[in-house]
Amino acid sequence: MKITGISTIVVNAKMRNWVFVRVDTSVPGLYGWGEATLNWKTRAVTGAVEDLAQLMIGTDPRDIEQAVRRMNKHSYYRLGIIGASAISGIEHALWDISAKELGVPVWRLLGGKVRERVDLYSHPGLGEMKTLYEDTFDPSKLIEASQKVLDKGFRAVKVVCIPYSHATTTRAACRNLERLGIALRQGLGDDAAIMVDFHGRAATVSATLEYIKALEPMGPMFVEEPVQPGDTKAMREIVERSPVPIATGERLVGLREFDELLSARACHIVQPDLNHCGGLLEAKKVATLAEIAQAGVAPHNPNGPLAAMASLHFGISTPNFVILEAMPGAVPWYNDVVEGLPEMVDGRWSAPDKPGMGIEVNEKEAAKHPFQQEVLHTQTAVLDDGTLVDW
């Protein structure tokens, strides 16, 4: 069996463009699907997939470890988030092909089943950017939007309610955050799990810790990415002083970056994005490091349905998996573009039983939603004096 072609389909889903990757083989009717979605980098990623395809044509798609090594080592220059996302999408498709050939679900090839189902969480507004990033500072709007997530069947929700910040914060900002967190907890009740995404907005450890302290009465399941990625010393200091669990990792690429974080015991929960970290195989290696470091794994996944399925197979087969981020129904036609998605029951997805990833892309429906430039919401990350800060 040989790879005969690698192509992409871009599907605009309002908040982001999904990048679907198709790998064709020399076996008639046997092909695989993956996803390489990356915010605001759609054209760069599709170009990277096209470049990497030249290394893959004519090789055996079942040699997945070798394929990933080939794309990394024979690229010569070390690949960043764009190249790693392209590799991830191709790699997902190789697992799909290998499992389809054997007639088994992908999780069977990842070590088998360690659980029957995985817990899910989503965000206020699902695919609506204004609801997620702007309405979250109004307690009544935040509670209403979060409750709608629970009403859809989720039992957990993640919010982004940290104000744009710099090196310091203010007592007023911290008191507002504390009141917001308490109101959200009271509004949703004790049974709902609530997570808070910091987006690395505070520029210092001291400001970050002030915000974390303000959120303690709410009792978050975890706070995510409290500082910008790559600062292991800062993360370690936060972990040592935080009264709540700390998660991070969505913007890290490859095993080496995760190794530094986990070797330093600098988080309680690691969040590889299977669209960006290098794929399923790399994520499994990260999970092993996390297990040694007594850390859980909660894949970052605000992406499309193919990435969600890859993450589901990962969760079914990974012992220290905690919870999965997913956005089913982010657009009204979500289930039209991809067929075979699992039904959520009691806030969970069960282990797929179909061969491969277990889903099929309807290319005719996908073509109805071509690429559009996403809203560059990062440009709102500006303080009132004109200082540009982290989104």
Side-chain angles (χ1 to χ4, degrees), residues 381-389:
V382 185
L383 301 183
D384 58 9
D385 64 357
T387 301
L388 301 183
V389 292

Side-chain angles (χ1 to χ4, degrees), residues 211-222:
Y211 287 140
I212 291 174
K213 181 181 178 181
L215 288 168
E216 184 180 6
M218 183 185 75
M221 182 179 183
F222 59 73

